[in-house]
Amino acid sequence: MPVPTEISTQDALKIIAKSLDVSGHADLFESERDVQFLKNVLSDATLGTLAEAYDVLENPREDEDERNNIELCKEILTNFDPLAHKDDRVNELFKIMEGPHFRSLVEAHDNILFRTYKPEATPAGSAATDQIIAKEPIVRIIGLCKTSSEPLGITLAVDDEMNVYIARILHGSLIDKQGLLHVGDVIKQVNGEKVKGDPDAILAILKNASGNITLHIIPSYRDNQGVCQIYVKTHFDYDATKDKEVPCNDVGLSFRKGDILAIVDQSDANWWQARTYEGGKTGLIPSQMLEESRRTQITPQHKSSRIIRCGGSRSKKRKMMYSAKKNAAFDRLNVPIYEEVAKMPPFERKTLVLIGAPRVGRRTLKNKLLTDTEVFGTTVPHTSRQKKAGEENGKGYIFVSRAEMQKDIDEGKFVEWGEYEEHLYGTKIDSIRNVMRTGKMCILDLNPTALKVLKTAEFMPYVVFVASPSFEFLKRRNTTSYSGKMFTDEELLETVEESQQLYDLYSHYFDLTIINEDFEKTYKKLRDSIQTLSTDAQWVPVNWVY
């Protein structure tokens, strides 16, 4: 039979039920019993009432406010016969619809749908509204429970009207876990005592309180921020107990240079919330901006007279000084604070960079590593000088014209370069790539200024600093001619001083520091550390990953 263009769901069910014919639909059903079952379901009064409720929800009619969902539910319950349904789930639904909670939910739905609540709102921003808010602030009563030794983990501050409010909530603290207080909440009373303008007095009460604590607050209606943690590698030592600027002495987080921290909150411009990456309590650390400003306001004063100064006659004794392009001077104004890192599964690094002062033995280490030709390789430096008798191009040096080498230097094709006795020497970036393509780890003994170019996802360097032993140790070893050559005290002192200077300026690049007191032990430690790259997870700069 033809179906009307506009038809309700309830009427459609009735039409389908009437049109069902056992003989006419034998190909769609396995038995007459299936047809009769479907016909009974579609003709059921309960289903019809549910269909009518659906139609009202989909197409509410303004002229039939009295036809609300409460009445529809009553009809459904009236037509429902529990004895006719043996399914436990149907009977459970019947009990739910009879309950007061379901009735309240449906009433709320009807009020919103038909707008029967008719609120009498005062226009926002009007004088009446401002007066009501000013005279009758909404006050909430919060109950807390703590032990006297347990810190709450909040920082208080005072606004211009001398109201004490919550300025910070430490992640993972008692207050943060309970979720009852939020940043910006104004505290009016503590255990029935009115408080105003004295955050220290409130903190003293809260700190010494034990058991139940009652707070009267004016809520800020701000949600506490979720944890959005990033990981950083620290590049300085920090002792929170000696920092007079830390907002709370008992919540400062001390750390050592090279530690990995999880930063969980950076909303405060001066003090970040952090914890060690293994877990533990959250504490406050100086932000990048605060620590940089504190350092730049202090004129550096070297405690030791052994620190090498820029310029002077001592630098003239150097045979050659390489410098990366645009990085000829030491990076004295670069203040490393934190470096964002990511934890990666074990993987092999592409290059091994050995950093060290003259006479510390880094080239001896390099040559011994290169005896393992299946694992390690190295570059051949370029030079503009002429070949000497017996020299071959590509063995020891690659000989090019000065004009060609200068052109490549100007185009940034050298990771480092220098001039000695009017001839250019340098290491070309493509020569590093050529070694990497063979699958070997490329060993480089470069000036540390080249690390700015190399510390990228392309080269992934493993940077090892070969540190000098003490002057006394070097002097004792020098008498035994350990290195095969005797050095003066001045040369040994220069080695110690320059080693310290390199560490102070570039230690934020180093993955490993080894004091070379015993060559065989140093070599073994270096090989073992390279081996662990393939077995242990590694913290690497985040820009190597993303």
Side-chain angles (χ1 to χ4, degrees), residues 342-349 460 532-540 544-546:
K343 194 173 186 178
M344 293 295 294
F347 71 97
E348 295 181 355
R349 302 287 185 97
M460 292 185 178
T532 59
L533 297 175
S534 303
T535 58
D536 297 348
Q538 304 175 44
W539 289 97
V540 300
W544 289 13
V545 183
Y546 305 107

Side-chain angles (χ1 to χ4, degrees), residues 101-115:
H101 300 295
F102 184 80
R103 178 183 177 87
S104 299
L105 176 63
V106 175
E107 284 181 349
H109 176 273
D110 286 343
N111 290 336
I112 295 172
L113 179 64
F114 299 109
R115 295 176 175 81

